[in-house]
Amino acid sequence: MRVSTAMFQQASLDALLKQQGDISKTQQQLSTGKRILTPADDPIASATLVDINQSIAVYEQFNRNADQAEMRLGQEESVLKSVSNALHRARELAVQGNNDSYSADQRKDIAAEVRQILDEVLTLANTTDGNNNFLFSGTLSNTKPFSQVEPGSGIDSTFSYHGDQGQRRIQVGPQRTVPDSDSGFEVFGKVRLPMVELGPISRMDYSNPDNHASLDIDGRPIVLTDNYPDIDAMAADIQSQLNADGERYEVSTERGFLHIRNTTPGAGPVNIRVDQDDYAHEAGFRSASSMVSVFEAIDKLAVALERDTMSGSRIDALDASLSHVVEFQSTIGARMNSVDRQREVNDELVFRMTTIKSEMEDLDYASTISKMNMQMAGMQAAQQTFSRVQNLSLFNYL
Amino acid sequence: MADILGIGTSGLLAYQRALTTTSHNISNVNTEGYSRQRTGLGTQIPEFIGVGYAGTGVRVTDISRNFDNFLVTQLREQTANYERYNNFNALASQIDNMLADQNAGLGPMMDEFFASVQGVADNPNSIPARQVMMTSAESLADRFHFLDNRLRDLNEQVNQKLHAGVYEVNTIAQGIAQLNEEIALARGAAAGGEPNDLLDRRDHLITKLAELVDVKTVEQKDGMMNVFIGSGQGLVVGKSTLDLRVQYDDLVQGKTTVVLDDGGKGVDISRLIKGGSLGGTLEFSNSILDESRNALGRIAAGISEQFNELHQLGIDLTGQLGGDFFKSFNPAVFVPSGNSSDDKLAVSYEDVSRLTTKDYLLRFDDGNWKLTDYKTGQSLATAAATEEEILIDGLRIDLNSVVAVQGDRYLIRPTSEAARWFDTAIEDPERIAAAGAIQGSEWVNAQGMPSNVGTGKIDNVTALDPTYLPLGDDITISFNGTGFPWTDTIDLALYDVGALNANEGLAIDWAAGTADFTGGGTFRGINIQDIGNGPWDLDGVSFTIDGTPIELSGQYAEGDLAGVASHINGVLAAEGLTDYSVETHQGQLVFSQDGSEDAIAIGSVSAAARNVGFVNSAGESGGAEVRFTVDGHEVLLNGDYADVADEIQSQLNAIAGNDYAVSLAGGQLTITNNTEGTGDVVVAGQGAGAMLSGFFEQREPEALNQLSFSGIEPVPAPIDYNPNTDGGATYKLLHNTVDDSYRVIKYASDDDIGDDEVAMLSFTFNGLPDDGDAFVLSDNPNAVGDNRNALALAALQTDKGMIGGTATYQSTYGQMVSRVGTQAHQASINKDATHTLRTQAEQAVQSVSGVNLDEEAANMIKYQQAYQANAQMISVANQLFQTLLGAF
């Protein structure tokens, strides 16, 4: 084919420029380590990479959330550990105080230490984290959760909860959240005692219709209409009234106290309501529940020691408190374990996705370098032939 | 002699001319569009000299250019193609590069933003965490603006390219027209001689024009060339030209079209121009640029609408309801100046998940509203003038917002402006609504301490509609139930089988509680206790007795077991099984076979038979076993028991973790599960012996347990709650907007919600509440540590809320990236391919028309030698003359 001089030059030049362009791209790939420089290089992989990048970012965020959750759970756990230590000590003191060899004065001394423990537990329940957020106020982080009204030695204190029942959950995996806190309402407020204790009850004559005592136990009206020979007889009457429908309440007495227990399996706590104006109130019946707070359990121990009305049920109350708190401790442990497991899953996924991502976008250095070498050799050859061929002209020989 | 001189002179002149042409070629070796010329040589007219004709020398016949019209036309086509793809690629790769940039793309910014939302969820009352979220929201907005601006810049670039291109086309067209005139003149003057250089210049101009638009040419007889573009619009006709101009679209702001100025309204040839740089630019503008802006805007509209929707359902740190987090906006509507009024059509987002990247044109024509796809013109919807709205692709077009006037048009661009308008609406980090608007809690006493007795728990309380917030009055949910503890006890009435079949030798006395199962009796078959409620339907009931198929039929009144027995006996007799019979015994059907001690096998029980209580049974022989399960734990009675209840209890409790109590009194067996919270006691898997004795599969009937509501007027009706079947179910409080009543439903799907009803809030309920336990739904203004709404907001990141619920924001963006990438990739391949084709076409043209210096050098030598030879001829003539002169 006939070739024009201008075309001849242009073609050589075009070839050179193209080689240069190819080398430049290969060089760019080598310097970035990426196979895909723009989406046009591999549109499908690029779209997948957008998703993979998000997934990696999301899972890494889940792990940061997990750190956060573990930190909070750790804080809660250490507080609860202190609480259970304090309760252990209180229990020891209760056992000591229940020992008949102690005098009333000695019991008062023990009571003083029990009050110390109460203060300690109350302070622990009002713990804040490093940012002044209360650990146990539910989601009302700025509200101090517990307060105590202390009327004086030998009288029951009143404990109030000011937080809410909210529980914050932290996302540690897709569709997976873990609570990073428990409200004080649940942790300190919901100790279920095996029974409720009323009293001490004084023996009264209820046979006069004006003196009929009425109370409400779990919604069942109980009316006392006798002059019972002793409170055991009264207990028996209450039990028979309660079990009229085939329920399984057990009513017993101990040192003038009335113990009411619902032995129906799975039954809820026993609740007793006594009207302030009712004759029952005069006899010493008080509204009570077998659901108490940890503070009440300790406070009642102190009161019993102070009033020298110690009984085994005080120890039972502490045992119930202790096992309630320990239950939360093990829940926290389980949550931390589950956070750890989730983190392993997350790490594994991040690793896999990073591998896939790398396979998609990263460069195969070996093959690219050898490609670069070939391109450079081609370029050199093109350059050399260009200069040689351009020198060829018939005019040189004229 | 004179001849020799004349001939020599003609040679000299001819070769001088040839050398001139060669030097013209050499000097134009690098002139674009130049076609090499050649000097045509021919003999002069011969002279008759009697004996024949004698040659009289050489003459120049013509100077022609080496030119192949076919090849040049091909070159023009390839040039137009190449320039089209080259320009498209150059513009598309700008978007491509922008999206590829990790630092400039949208992906990392969205990740960062949602990470910051998670940060707020982790620490809802931390101001620094909230500040980070505000900052990254602003960065996200900036990124949207940046990308949108880049796309707008590109649009500007497109417009400039069109302006420049159109100017160049006009200039070239005028040049061609002028050359047309000159060529016609030159041809006339030269009487048929071709003005080669003028032709070259014109052909070159046309090729130049092909770089801008695809052209077609037709040569007239007078040598003038007519040039057509688009679908045959004449750009140059003879000496006259038509101008192209760039015109701004009257609907789409900033969008331009190319119009051929025909003296009237002009012809829009934007869609007709397919090739050249103008074609590529227009194609880019119409496909990838508009599409990308809409795709980007769709993500922006999706995030801001969906984020706001949730944000309004939260409570901020100051205790107020969260408003819009991002600035709220409606789809862009453009009203052309030609409309009867400036009234703006009201369009709003109805469901952003269904948004497309289309633009819509609404037009009122012939008494109807017509909605079309603006780009393709495809008809999408029609509505009569009386209609109030059109709902399409997640948009609500309010037809009442404008007066319907014939010919009025409105352009709706739901996504084109969204990326530009995307912006944060709040500035104060405290205003981020991280907390849920409503909280659910247990009833508490005056000290805030627990007052509920049971383990019922209200959870996942979520507000669903901001118009009902704040609630104001608390909504109280009370539980009224009977029959606790739930169904962890089961009573079984046991039957004395001794009376039926004395020869079975069993000594069972349920009343005394003793049972001897070792008697070696044989149970003969299966026993049917109850065959369903209502009339008994035996149609389709079939089974085999010891291999013989039996088919029952007919309907019987409920409880008419005797009727069923006599029917079966009839069938047995009809089948020839006369020794078999069935009897009723304490509400059961018992099969027996006269004179046989063998077990009776029942098989191939049909589905209908199963429904009425038949089971496959091989019978039980040898030791008469009673076999059943309690909550899946197997119980086997085959011994001699003094206290059968005690035996059952010890078998059940032999399994670790079990705590059952079993008692037997007056023929009534009571099994109680003492393990708390385990629910029903279920007796199942009975063998035939067990069924004969009354161990039927059963559950305790459920007690009436209801959740009732107060604090909202009119009070919604109470709903049943059974922890075994409803525990953990989602409930929704619905408001009927027509009769203003309320209703609570156990929610399964949106089908449960009536057309007039709006879901206000939802909650889940589980556990075993005690009678009188109460729960409260209340406003949640102080819960600074609550992160429920922040979690919900963060979940949007992975929620498939776009493109009809198929894609996340990120994958919507991924689609955009891959779409642009694919087009850029395709354009790049096309560019390379057409470049090769153009080069080949150019080589072909050059092979005909291009100057080769070596060839010219050879020609030069050839002509020079010829010239020298001719000069020698003159010298020879001179010598001859001298010789002749010297002879005298």
Side-chain angles (χ1 to χ4, degrees):
Chain A
M1 182 170 136
R2 194 179 163 277
V3 178
S4 78
T5 305
M7 199 65 219
F8 189 55
Q9 278 186 334
Q10 190 59 46
S12 312
L13 193 62
D14 279 353
L16 271 179
L17 289 176
K18 186 174 181 314
Q19 300 252 32
Q20 251 172 12
D22 288 349
I23 288 177
S24 154
K25 177 154 186 184
T26 310
Q27 193 238 338
Q28 217 179 328
Q29 282 181 329
L30 283 170
S31 61
T32 56
K34 297 265 180 284
R35 182 177 69 88
I36 301 173
L37 296 173
T38 75
D41 290 338
D42 189 342
I44 295 165
S46 299
T48 316
L49 280 171
V50 167
D51 280 342
I52 289 183
N53 283 334
Q54 159 162 310
S55 296
I56 292 174
V58 165
Y59 280 102
E60 282 171 349
Q61 179 64 38
F62 286 155
N63 278 350
R64 284 195 291 278
N65 296 352
D67 294 345
Q68 201 50 252
E70 281 201 324
M71 190 190 80
R72 292 231 183 80
L73 289 170
Q75 280 174 336
E76 189 184 342
E77 193 192 27
S78 73
V79 171
L80 292 188
K81 200 169 174 209
S82 306
V83 171
S84 58
N85 285 344
L87 287 172
H88 269 297
R89 177 65 189 148
R91 190 184 184 282
E92 281 169 23
L93 293 172
V95 173
Q96 218 177 327
N98 202 25
N99 191 327
D100 289 340
S101 61
Y102 279 80
S103 71
D105 282 348
Q106 281 171 315
R107 289 209 174 88
K108 280 207 172 99
D109 293 343
I110 297 172
E113 194 182 340
V114 172
R115 290 223 174 269
Q116 283 298 320
I117 291 171
L118 176 59
D119 279 352
E120 186 190 335
V121 173
L122 201 58
T123 312
L124 286 168
N126 287 333
T127 310
T128 58
D129 67 6
N131 298 318
N132 248 354
N133 294 319
F134 290 95
L135 285 185
F136 294 106
S137 59
T139 56
L140 302 184
S141 311
N142 298 341
T143 308
K144 188 174 172 183
F146 290 101
S147 67
Q148 177 188 16
V149 176
E150 205 174 354
S153 175
I155 307 172
D156 288 348
S157 297
T158 316
F159 299 90
S160 301
Y161 178 64
H162 310 288
D164 66 11
Q165 298 161 31
Q167 188 177 41
R168 185 167 48 224
R169 303 181 75 90
I170 299 287
Q171 189 159 15
V172 294
Q175 317 295 329
R176 175 122 178 75
T177 60
V178 170
D180 74 342
S181 65
D182 294 286
S183 74
F185 186 81
E186 301 281 341
V187 178
F188 295 99
K190 278 192 168 174
V191 178
R192 281 175 189 233
L193 302 185
M195 55 162 192
V196 69
E197 187 177 60
L198 290 177
I201 311 281
S202 22
R203 206 183 64 77
M204 306 278 272
D205 180 3
Y206 301 108
S207 53
N208 179 345
D210 292 342
N211 294 352
H212 284 178
S214 55
L215 52 152
D216 178 307
I217 299 176
D218 292 350
R220 293 177 178 77
I222 306 291
V223 186
L224 304 177
T225 56
D226 252 341
N227 183 11
Y228 301 100
D230 51 35
I231 69 161
D232 284 335
M234 183 176 68
D237 186 25
I238 294 174
Q239 178 170 327
S240 76
Q241 288 190 41
L242 280 173
N243 292 341
D245 297 332
E247 300 295 336
R248 300 183 197 176
Y249 285 94
E250 276 177 18
V251 185
S252 60
T253 63
E254 188 188 353
R255 297 186 196 179
F257 285 86
L258 207 57
H259 290 173
I260 305 171
R261 197 185 289 266
N262 187 351
T263 65
T264 312
V270 180
N271 276 333
I272 295 157
R273 281 193 195 95
V274 177
D275 199 324
Q276 196 108 24
D277 306 325
D278 197 274
Y279 194 58
H281 197 264
E282 240 170 83
F285 288 98
R286 294 286 182 273
S287 291
S289 170
S290 62
M291 182 137 77
V292 298
S293 67
V294 171
F295 316 116
E296 282 169 320
I298 308 172
D299 182 61
K300 284 212 158 66
L301 170 63
V303 170
L305 289 166
E306 281 156 0
R307 293 172 66 174
D308 203 11
T309 54
M310 197 46 207
S311 72
S313 61
R314 300 273 74 92
I315 301 172
D316 292 347
L318 283 175
D319 282 343
S321 301
L322 194 55
S323 68
H324 182 72
V325 170
V326 169
E327 204 175 294
F328 273 96
Q329 274 181 284
S330 56
T331 310
I332 291 166
R335 281 183 204 153
M336 287 172 109
N337 275 339
S338 110
V339 169
D340 273 344
R341 277 198 303 278
Q342 185 65 44
R343 200 204 305 272
E344 278 167 25
V345 172
N346 293 350
D347 285 342
E348 169 77 17
L349 282 168
V350 167
F351 174 73
R352 284 196 185 172
M353 283 185 295
T354 314
T355 313
I356 295 170
K357 180 184 164 176
S358 154
E359 276 168 11
M360 276 187 170
E361 70 172 1
D362 285 356
L363 198 64
D364 177 352
Y365 274 99
S367 75
T368 313
I369 287 171
S370 77
K371 187 168 102 187
M372 178 89 175
N373 284 336
M374 265 170 63
Q375 284 172 336
M376 281 178 13
M379 176 87 184
Q380 271 173 351
Q383 282 171 335
Q384 281 173 1
T385 44
F386 183 77
S387 64
R388 294 251 178 106
V389 169
Q390 292 308 321
N391 279 334
L392 293 176
S393 174
L394 197 51
F395 284 103
N396 293 341
Y397 302 99
L398 291 180
Chain B
M1 231 159 25
D3 289 350
I4 298 171
L5 195 63
I7 289 172
T9 309
S10 80
L12 278 182
L13 286 173
Y15 288 108
Q16 206 171 15
R17 176 54 53 205
L19 277 169
T20 314
T21 305
T22 299
S23 77
H24 187 52
N25 281 342
I26 292 172
S27 63
N28 280 303
V29 65
N30 286 323
T31 304
E32 269 188 87
Y34 177 78
S35 307
R36 79 190 154 99
Q37 296 176 7
R38 57 176 275 281
T39 314
L41 297 177
T43 50
Q44 297 220 42
I45 299 163
E47 196 181 331
F48 187 67
I49 52 163
V51 292
Y53 285 94
T56 56
V58 69
R59 70 182 174 96
V60 174
T61 54
D62 66 337
I63 299 173
S64 63
R65 56 178 187 145
N66 280 16
F67 182 79
D68 186 328
N69 196 38
F70 172 73
L71 291 179
V72 172
T73 308
Q74 233 178 16
L75 172 62
R76 282 178 196 146
E77 270 171 27
Q78 299 306 345
T79 303
N81 275 338
Y82 168 71
E83 286 300 333
R84 167 190 172 186
Y85 291 119
N86 187 28
N87 268 276
F88 186 92
N89 181 52
L91 289 164
S93 56
Q94 290 194 43
I95 301 186
D96 190 34
N97 284 329
M98 171 176 97
L99 298 180
D101 190 342
Q102 278 289 316
N103 302 315
L106 189 62
M109 235 44 220
M110 285 200 283
D111 287 345
E112 199 173 295
F113 171 64
F114 280 106
S116 75
V117 180
Q118 290 271 9
V120 172
D122 287 351
N123 283 302
N125 60 341
S126 153
I127 294 292
R130 284 164 175 264
Q131 191 64 60
V132 170
M133 178 169 154
M134 285 313 306
T135 312
S136 52
E138 279 154 20
S139 307
L140 180 63
D142 285 348
R143 183 53 46 89
F144 269 119
H145 299 165
F146 169 78
L147 293 173
D148 189 58
N149 278 336
R150 286 289 300 272
L151 294 175
R152 267 162 217 283
D153 287 349
L154 271 176
N155 191 45
E156 204 38 55
Q157 206 175 323
V158 162
N159 287 345
Q160 281 171 6
K161 264 184 177 264
L162 291 181
H163 274 289
V166 161
Y167 176 78
E168 218 177 322
V169 168
N170 290 341
T171 314
I172 291 174
Q174 279 156 18
I176 294 171
Q178 204 180 338
L179 281 165
N180 269 347
E181 195 175 2
E182 285 174 21
I183 286 166
L185 277 174
R187 271 189 153 183
E194 290 291 337
N196 290 332
D197 294 328
L198 290 180
L199 289 174
D200 274 351
R201 271 167 63 194
R202 188 176 67 184
D203 284 325
H204 182 59
L205 276 184
I206 295 171
T207 307
K208 279 287 205 204
L209 188 62
E211 287 177 9
L212 296 158
V213 289
D214 48 342
V215 293
K216 296 237 166 356
T217 54
V218 175
E219 194 171 2
Q220 287 175 207
K221 273 186 180 161
D222 58 2
M224 293 208 199
M225 188 78 92
N226 294 343
V227 181
F228 304 97
I229 60 171
S231 61
Q233 282 75 18
L235 182 69
V236 181
V237 180
K239 294 182 286 184
S240 61
T241 62
L242 290 181
D243 272 353
L244 287 184
R245 66 183 153 80
V246 175
Q247 187 169 303
Y248 280 88
D249 193 291
D250 65 336
L251 277 170
V252 184
Q253 223 173 7
K255 182 143 180 93
T256 47
T257 49
V258 175
V259 172
L260 185 68
D261 207 340
D262 60 356
K265 263 181 70 184
V267 188
D268 181 355
I269 56 167
S270 297
R271 289 180 193 289
L272 304 175
I273 299 178
K274 295 282 182 227
S277 61
L278 279 181
T281 307
L282 284 166
E283 190 183 349
F284 168 78
S285 162
N286 287 329
S287 62
I288 202 166
L289 182 58
D290 288 353
E291 183 82 27
S292 298
R293 255 175 67 187
N294 286 359
L296 188 69
R298 172 160 68 173
I299 302 169
I303 294 181
S304 71
E305 279 285 309
Q306 290 175 342
F307 210 84
N308 280 351
E309 220 167 85
L310 280 182
H311 195 259
Q312 287 165 356
L313 298 174
I315 292 283
D316 64 22
L317 263 193
T318 66
Q320 298 178 64
L321 278 171
D324 284 343
F325 181 83
F326 291 111
K327 278 191 182 132
S328 171
F329 50 81
N330 282 325
V333 177
F334 297 89
V335 184
S337 50
N339 270 15
S340 59
S341 77
D342 292 341
D343 289 352
K344 205 156 188 180
L345 182 75
V347 183
S348 54
Y349 295 115
E350 191 69 6
D351 175 4
V352 282
S353 76
R354 285 164 48 220
L355 284 185
T356 65
T357 53
K358 286 183 199 142
D359 293 332
Y360 304 84
L361 185 69
L362 182 71
R363 172 198 283 276
F364 191 74
D365 249 346
D366 307 328
N368 280 315
W369 289 106
K370 284 174 189 154
L371 189 73
T372 51
D373 183 328
Y374 182 62
K375 184 175 279 178
T376 64
Q378 186 200 353
S379 169
L380 298 172
T382 358
T386 49
E387 301 261 344
E388 287 184 358
E389 58 182 19
I390 296 177
L391 294 174
I392 188 164
D393 295 344
L395 298 173
R396 182 182 172 276
I397 302 169
D398 181 1
L399 300 175
N400 286 342
S401 59
V402 288
V403 181
V405 175
Q406 169 73 24
D408 274 4
R409 296 180 304 153
Y410 301 91
L411 177 69
I412 304 160
R413 308 190 75 194
T415 50
S416 73
E417 309 303 310
R420 185 155 67 100
W421 290 341
F422 185 89
D423 208 350
T424 53
I426 61 176
E427 282 171 6
D428 187 352
E430 292 195 341
R431 294 285 287 132
I432 295 171
I438 305 176
Q439 64 169 343
S441 41
E442 296 177 30
W443 195 256
V444 294
N445 65 19
Q447 283 76 44
M449 289 297 199
S451 106
N452 279 357
V453 184
T455 58
K457 207 163 165 46
I458 190 164
D459 235 329
N460 298 317
V461 179
T462 314
L464 298 174
D465 194 315
T467 50
Y468 296 98
L469 296 176
L471 281 182
D473 293 337
D474 292 352
I475 298 174
T476 306
I477 305 170
S478 332
F479 182 78
N480 319 99
T482 54
F484 281 91
W486 294 95
T487 54
D488 53 4
T489 295
I490 191 166
D491 291 326
L492 299 170
L494 299 179
Y495 301 114
D496 207 343
V497 290
L500 177 71
N501 242 337
N503 68 353
E504 289 179 354
L506 299 178
I508 301 171
D509 183 349
W510 294 123
T514 60
D516 180 3
F517 292 93
T518 59
T522 304
F523 289 108
R524 293 304 176 72
I526 66 154
N527 306 279
I528 313 301
Q529 182 206 27
D530 189 350
I531 41 185
N533 296 320
W536 292 342
D537 185 357
L538 295 186
D539 283 344
V541 169
S542 66
F543 51 90
T544 62
I545 288 185
D546 287 345
T548 308
I550 299 293
E551 209 164 301
L552 306 184
S553 62
Q555 276 78 31
Y556 294 85
E558 185 178 1
D560 185 13
L561 207 57
V564 174
S566 101
H567 170 63
I568 296 175
N569 279 325
V571 175
L572 287 170
E575 294 288 338
L577 299 171
T578 46
D579 51 342
Y580 288 87
S581 66
V582 65
E583 293 171 60
T584 67
H585 173 64
Q586 293 185 344
Q588 308 168 59
L589 293 171
V590 179
F591 289 88
S592 60
Q593 186 183 11
D594 287 347
S596 168
E597 295 291 315
D598 294 338
I600 297 171
I602 309 266
S604 307
V605 170
S606 69
R610 268 199 302 281
N611 287 342
V612 295
F614 285 85
V615 292
N616 286 321
S617 163
E620 310 215 354
S621 55
E625 295 175 340
V626 168
R627 202 188 279 277
F628 58 95
T629 63
V630 174
D631 296 345
H633 308 303
E634 182 124 338
V635 175
L636 170 63
L637 303 177
N638 56 4
D640 183 1
Y641 307 111
D643 185 343
V644 80
D646 194 48
E647 170 62 20
I648 296 171
Q649 178 172 318
S650 68
Q651 283 194 24
L652 288 175
N653 290 346
I655 298 155
N658 278 2
D659 184 8
Y660 285 91
V662 183
S663 63
L664 180 62
Q668 185 95 357
L669 188 73
T670 302
I671 305 174
T672 304
N673 187 352
N674 287 342
T675 312
E676 202 174 330
T678 41
D680 284 347
V681 172
V682 178
V683 174
Q686 298 87 343
M691 293 186 68
L692 191 63
S693 311
F695 291 93
F696 292 106
E697 181 169 349
Q698 55 185 278
R699 291 158 180 254
E700 181 75 359
E702 282 148 13
L704 171 73
N705 299 298
Q706 285 188 322
L707 296 171
S708 52
F709 303 87
S710 62
I712 184 166
E713 291 288 337
V715 174
I719 53 163
D720 291 346
Y721 171 75
N722 174 351
N724 296 318
T725 52
D726 304 329
T730 299
Y731 293 89
K732 285 197 176 183
L733 173 60
L734 310 178
H735 177 228
N736 188 315
T737 51
V738 174
D739 63 12
D740 202 25
S741 64
Y742 295 94
R743 184 162 78 101
V744 177
I745 56 162
K746 181 178 166 188
Y747 173 82
S749 76
D750 281 342
D751 298 341
D752 302 338
I753 301 174
D755 289 343
D756 299 330
E757 289 177 320
V758 180
M760 292 169 62
L761 55 88
S762 71
F763 58 89
T764 60
F765 201 87
N766 60 51
L768 303 170
D770 208 347
D771 188 29
D773 281 358
F775 304 85
V776 184
L777 298 172
S778 56
D779 287 321
N780 190 30
N782 302 316
V784 296
D786 185 357
N787 69 349
R788 285 177 293 152
N789 210 39
L791 279 182
L793 289 171
L796 285 177
Q797 182 182 19
T798 48
D799 202 27
K800 286 190 173 164
M802 299 294 289
I803 320 188
T806 61
T808 62
Y809 303 129
Q810 196 74 259
S811 50
T812 310
Y813 177 64
Q815 284 193 13
M816 173 184 166
V817 168
S818 95
R819 199 182 154 81
V820 171
T822 309
Q823 295 199 10
H825 181 64
Q826 198 57 46
S828 158
I829 290 174
N830 284 339
K831 185 192 92 172
D832 289 347
T834 50
H835 182 255
T836 311
L837 288 174
R838 194 190 69 157
T839 310
Q840 283 170 359
E842 184 144 26
Q843 275 169 349
V845 168
Q846 284 283 313
S847 74
V848 174
S849 306
V851 178
N852 183 310
L853 285 179
D854 286 346
E855 184 187 17
E856 297 304 327
N859 279 343
M860 190 178 78
I861 293 165
K862 182 170 84 182
Y863 294 142
Q864 204 178 351
Q865 283 174 347
Y867 185 89
Q868 283 168 345
N870 277 298
Q872 283 297 328
M873 284 313 296
I874 290 174
S875 156
V876 167
N878 182 40
Q879 280 173 11
L880 287 179
F881 187 64
Q882 289 298 332
T883 310
L884 194 62
L885 275 184
F888 293 105

